[in-house]
Amino acid sequence: MKRRIHLELRNRTPSDVKELVLDNCRSNDGKIEGLTAEFVNLEFLSLISVGLSTVSNLPELPKLKKLELSDNRIFGGLDVLAEKLPNLTHLNLSGNNLKDISTLEPLKKLEYLKSLDLFNCEVTNLNDYRESVFTLLPQLTYLDGYDQEDKEAPDSDAEVDGVDDEEEEDEEDEDEEDEFDEEDDDEEDDVEGDDYEYDVSGEEEEFGHDGEVDDDEEDEDEDDEDEEDEETGKGEKRKRETDDEGEGEDD
């Protein structure tokens, strides 16, 4: 049992532990080795099928709210629970040797007790069992999972799962936000890419496709040079003709 507790601690101190599950670990004469009052912040304790015949050796756990004691051999002595576990709200005593309503009377001192389970206990076979228990324990809201109007109690495990689901939904929302941001980044990249192509196409329009614009400019320059050469040639020809006429007149 002590080794099991060491494994549950996993390098933590007892004061750090809020939940402790020791199911199927055998107790020694009603004592649970290693389970001490050092677990001052413990809120949930499960001791299912550990061979307990009494709860008198449980340590003082002032913050404990939920205690699982099903499938043991407890037959009475429940008065110690109010002394050592004053803030208990959920108590499961299913499958124990509880036979009479009177054995439950010490639970009246647990003023915060809201849920009590007594499945498979002989006391459940008594006439007017439910009415008697609700009368004896007026602070009780749920007995064996149902209230006085036979409305089912919310599953505490489901509530825990609900918290986990909310965290998962938050994570999913975060993942969706990340995906959305990635899509936005991709769209921005596409826009930047379009701008880049547009700029390139603009450059192509300015500088020509494969030098076509440059070739046209060179052709135009060559045509201008040819025209200039023709005009120059004509001018030289006229000048020679004029010179020849002048020489003829001198003769």
Side-chain angles (χ1 to χ4, degrees):
M1 179 72 74
K2 191 172 183 179
R3 183 180 179 184
R4 175 68 177 272
I5 291 178
H6 285 166
L7 290 175
E8 291 287 343
L9 289 177
R10 295 180 183 178
N11 299 323
R12 294 180 296 173
T13 62
S15 60
D16 294 330
V17 179
K18 291 186 176 182
E19 296 185 5
L20 188 59
V21 178
L22 301 173
D23 299 346
N24 301 310
C25 294
R26 308 308 296 176
S27 62
N28 184 14
D29 294 331
K31 296 180 180 180
I32 308 206
E33 189 178 2
L35 182 61
T36 67
E38 292 179 325
F39 291 87
V40 292
N41 293 311
L42 196 64
E43 296 180 1
F44 174 84
L45 175 61
S46 184
L47 299 172
I48 298 174
S49 189
V50 297
L52 283 179
S53 59
T54 177
V55 293
S56 60
N57 290 316
L58 288 177
E60 293 185 8
L61 303 171
K63 291 189 177 181
L64 193 70
K65 295 180 179 179
K66 186 172 183 179
L67 178 60
E68 295 280 346
L69 292 173
S70 59
D71 299 328
N72 285 288
R73 302 194 300 269
I74 300 169
F75 58 88
L78 301 181
D79 52 306
V80 71
L81 295 178
E83 297 174 9
K84 297 185 176 182
L85 315 174
N87 289 305
L88 205 61
T89 60
H90 294 72
L91 177 61
N92 191 341
L93 289 168
S94 301
N96 281 279
N97 299 329
L98 301 172
K99 300 178 181 181
D100 302 318
I101 295 292
S102 60
T103 59
L104 305 176
E105 189 169 356
L107 300 181
K108 293 171 62 176
K109 298 179 181 179
L110 290 170
E111 57 180 313
Y112 301 111
L113 188 64
K114 299 300 180 184
S115 177
L116 175 65
D117 290 314
L118 297 169
F119 290 110
N120 299 323
C121 293
E122 289 187 37
V123 67
T124 62
N125 297 324
L126 299 176
N127 292 331
D128 300 326
Y129 151 71
R130 290 182 58 81
E131 292 180 5
S132 299
V133 174
F134 277 118
T135 301
L136 178 65
L137 307 174
Q139 79 276 32
L140 204 64
T141 303
Y142 300 105
L143 176 61
D144 300 330
Y146 291 86
D147 64 10
Q148 297 187 59
E149 298 177 356
D150 290 332
K151 292 182 180 179
E152 189 173 3
D155 188 354
S156 59
D157 293 333
E159 291 175 2
V160 174
D161 293 340
V163 174
D164 292 338
D165 291 340
E166 289 178 1
E167 292 177 355
E168 289 178 1
E169 288 176 1
D170 292 338
E171 291 177 358
E172 290 176 358
D173 292 339
E174 291 177 358
D175 293 338
E176 290 178 358
E177 290 177 359
D178 293 339
E179 291 178 0
F180 181 78
D181 293 338
E182 289 178 359
E183 290 177 357
D184 289 343
D185 293 339
D186 292 338
E187 291 178 357
E188 290 178 359
D189 292 339
D190 293 339
V191 172
E192 292 177 357
D194 294 339
D195 292 341
Y196 178 74
E197 291 177 359
Y198 177 81
D199 293 337
V200 172
S201 62
E203 292 178 357
E204 288 179 352
E205 290 180 358
E206 181 179 353
F207 295 104
H209 297 280
D210 299 332
E212 290 179 2
V213 175
D214 295 339
D215 291 342
D216 292 339
E217 291 178 355
E218 289 179 359
D219 292 340
E220 290 177 0
D221 293 340
E222 289 178 358
D223 292 340
D224 292 340
E225 290 178 359
D226 291 340
E227 290 178 359
E228 290 178 359
D229 291 341
E230 289 178 0
E231 291 177 358
T232 302
K234 289 179 181 179
E236 291 178 353
K237 185 176 180 181
R238 292 193 190 97
K239 183 177 180 180
R240 284 198 301 271
E241 290 177 355
T242 304
D243 292 340
D244 291 341
E245 290 176 358
E247 289 177 357
E249 290 177 359
D250 293 337
D251 293 340

